[in-house]
Amino acid sequence: MNKEKRLAIFDRLAAAIPEPTTELNYSTPFELLIAVVLSAQATDKGVNKATAKLYPVANTPQAILELGEEGLKEYIKTIGLYNSKAANIIKLCRSLLEKHDGEVPQSREQLEALAGVGRKTANVILNTAFDQPTIAVDTHIFRVSNRTRIAPGKTVLEVEKKLEKWVPKQHKKDAHHLLILHGRYTCIARKPRCQSCVIADLCEYKDKTDS
């Protein structure tokens, strides 16, 4: 795929999704960080239900520490892997208070040093909370990148590196959410909705669906 076609793809996605952003509910970088940690192997909808009850009670590192691990579990027990997530969030909150004055750090290295935060989560925070042009490759982005041939790769890191290299500069900041939303609602896993896809004629997927 050449750069002209990639530019056309991102231009069309940007026109079709004019305000691309996360579907997780949050009002501060800390709330976003907790929501993203909770979202691993869980739906955004499920996370939003839990945080809607949690955040009015505790939405700072200190407040969550005061809840304690068992208290936190009561709010997030509807989410998969809630036991390990609760343990990680308590450690994460302690680290934020001890090392970062309770603030979410703005570097990947410092974010990845927090319990429960890997490269993908760090990229989401840097992009969504701090407007950095990072691209976190989740299952949707991995699928869309390979299926369309925008940035084919066998591993998440390979796809991420290719996207960083090949996404047109003007679309770098929004590329993460454009690709997620396209994958979540149009280029879905089992049967992509090629008939209603705005980039169907540019996409290099060989098995396009008719309906």
Side-chain angles (χ1 to χ4, degrees):
M1 182 176 286
N2 61 39
K3 65 179 184 180
E4 287 78 17
K5 190 183 275 191
R6 278 195 198 93
L7 175 59
I9 284 173
F10 279 100
D11 280 348
R12 285 197 201 169
L13 289 176
I17 310 168
E19 293 183 18
T21 190
T22 181
E23 294 186 308
L24 290 168
N25 295 332
Y26 73 99
S27 58
T28 65
F30 176 73
E31 286 187 359
L32 178 65
L33 176 59
I34 298 305
V36 176
V37 169
L38 290 173
S39 72
Q41 296 179 37
T43 65
D44 288 1
K45 195 174 179 180
V47 171
N48 287 338
K49 269 188 176 179
T51 57
K53 293 176 182 174
L54 171 65
Y55 290 160
V57 175
N59 70 339
T60 65
Q62 185 63 47
I64 286 181
L65 269 186
E66 286 170 8
L67 271 184
E69 195 172 321
E70 293 307 313
L72 177 58
K73 284 180 187 177
E74 285 302 306
Y75 290 95
I76 66 169
K77 62 187 178 183
T78 53
I79 295 171
L81 309 175
Y82 74 93
N83 283 313
S84 60
K85 288 175 182 177
N88 280 332
I89 287 170
I90 292 295
K91 288 177 195 167
L92 178 157
C93 289
R94 195 168 287 124
S95 294
L96 288 179
L97 288 165
E98 290 173 358
K99 298 176 183 176
H100 304 287
D101 296 322
E103 298 295 321
V104 177
Q106 297 189 35
S107 82
R108 178 185 275 121
E109 187 181 22
Q110 290 176 318
L111 283 165
E112 286 188 33
L114 299 170
V117 178
R119 185 180 181 90
K120 186 176 81 172
T121 296
N123 278 339
V124 173
I125 302 306
L126 293 172
N127 178 266
T128 307
F130 301 123
D131 289 332
Q132 294 186 29
T134 54
I135 301 172
V137 178
D138 70 346
T139 53
H140 296 299
I141 292 181
F142 188 79
R143 179 177 67 253
V144 171
S145 297
N146 275 288
R147 191 183 266 166
T148 61
R149 312 301 290 171
I150 290 172
K154 291 181 179 175
T155 67
V156 164
L157 189 57
E158 187 183 351
V159 169
E160 182 188 325
K161 293 295 184 188
K162 285 184 177 179
L163 287 169
E164 282 181 353
K165 185 178 177 182
W166 292 339
V167 170
K169 191 174 180 182
Q170 63 267 46
H171 293 297
K172 272 260 171 76
K173 190 174 80 69
D174 288 335
H176 169 74
H177 291 116
L178 288 173
L179 293 173
I180 283 181
L181 294 169
H182 184 64
R184 189 171 284 169
Y185 297 109
T186 302
C187 197
I188 56 177
R190 289 190 180 176
K191 191 178 182 184
R193 296 169 175 145
C194 300
Q195 289 296 94
S196 59
C197 176
V198 296
I199 60 167
D201 57 316
L202 299 169
C203 166
E204 296 181 2
Y205 182 49
K206 290 176 182 172
D207 301 313
K208 290 193 176 75
T209 58
D210 293 327
S211 60

